[in-house]
Amino acid sequence: MIFSKTFGYAIRGVLYTAMVSNGKKVQLDEMAEVLNVPRHFLGKVMKRMVKEGVLSSMKGPYGGFFLNENTMTTPLYKIIEITGESETFSICTLKLSKCNSDNPCPLHLKMEEVRKECLNILSNTNIGDLLSKDQPDFIQSITTI
Amino acid sequence: MIFSKTFGYAIRGVLYTAMVSNGKKVQLDEMAEVLNVPRHFLGKVMKRMVKEGVLSSMKGPYGGFFLNENTMTTPLYKIIEITGESETFSICTLKLSKCNSDNPCPLHLKMEEVRKECLNILSNTNIGDLLSKDQPDFIQSITTI
DNA sequence: AAGTTAAGAGACATGATTGTCCTCAAAAAA
DNA sequence: TTTTTTGAGGACAATCATGTCTCTTAACTT
């Protein structure tokens, strides 16, 4: 499954915030540098996360991004929605808009199962799940591009 | 799985050729019109199919595209390769180039299985398989956009 | 041989995604 | 209240996928 770069940035941004902020807030500058992501672009991505309630932010000195009550339980699919990619799971592989179960293209059935499996993963995995593994070099795994 | 429009055009072009050509050849003009695809763009896609041996073509009057000994046994994955999308199956969901089984990103394991399943489908399905179903309105299913 | 028909191929146009730059707004510190 | 720090937001640039236009090349017909 190929999703946008934006999706990758979003996940990594949220995960990084969750990992390093123990009460304190994480600044965009730090985040962009450590994640090796264009700062202003990341800013817009994170802004959308905040707007949709996945994360919170505060301006001014000692401001930055921080977790809220939703963050850990946000399913990855929610982030797919926010980055505008939920159509991924309904768009026909051959890009036929009229393709569906009743009028399937020749690839429809075979692809349907893969699509569903992927949708299941993204719906049933949340941010907390990604963090809860005892991966010693977790930070490294999301910052090494 | 989202692949390019180009991939969709390629598959539909080859399938259409296989369906309507009984010995005779299929012209680009007809194909583009029936498939509802930009003519010159489709031309370039089909050209690549010919260059890679998936299909054959002939210029001049009564020329056009026609099947060859490879067409029916061409796995869909071959067309993925031709349209330059084989990286789909190795690119990390978070777009981390260093992500792999030894140094996995938090999503790596979960996505790996989906990716493998999809790769299996595309490797084990060929053009002939897509045609062999007795779908009465097959042509309609690949021409109705 | 000349004309016609079709694919091949290059140059350019458009649109979406990604990336950059500069300014604004809010929150804290001085 | 002024200054500083930080995210928010708009305008624009670069890149890549897709689409359009025009000319060239090859094969057949006359």
Side-chain angles (χ1 to χ4, degrees), chain B residues 54-136:
Chain B
V54 172
L55 212 64
S56 295
S57 70
M58 188 90 92
K59 291 182 180 179
Y62 299 95
F65 296 90
F66 55 98
L67 308 189
N68 64 26
E69 65 282 6
N70 300 319
T71 311
M72 289 308 212
T73 56
T74 302
L76 303 187
Y77 185 73
K78 169 94 176 179
I79 297 180
I80 289 285
E81 286 180 316
I82 295 174
T83 59
E85 296 164 84
S86 40
E87 286 210 326
T88 306
F89 299 99
S90 52
I91 285 182
C92 165
T93 307
L94 302 183
K95 299 278 185 309
L96 300 162
S97 68
K98 300 283 173 55
C99 167
N100 57 51
S101 313
D102 296 329
N103 184 37
C105 80
L107 264 169
H108 187 83
L109 280 174
K110 302 209 178 209
M111 283 304 175
E112 185 95 69
E113 52 178 307
V114 178
R115 214 179 270 151
K116 275 186 182 163
E117 190 187 334
C118 187
L119 187 53
N120 275 341
I121 293 175
L122 295 177
S123 303
N124 299 326
T125 306
N126 61 34
I127 295 293
D129 294 331
L130 294 187
L131 284 164
S132 64
K133 29 190 75 167
D134 338 77
Q135 195 172 320

Side-chain angles (χ1 to χ4, degrees), chain A residues 20 36 47 57 63 94 115 118 142:
Chain A
V20 306
N36 253 291
K47 173 180 64 179
S57 69
L94 302 183
R115 215 179 270 150
C118 187
I142 61 169

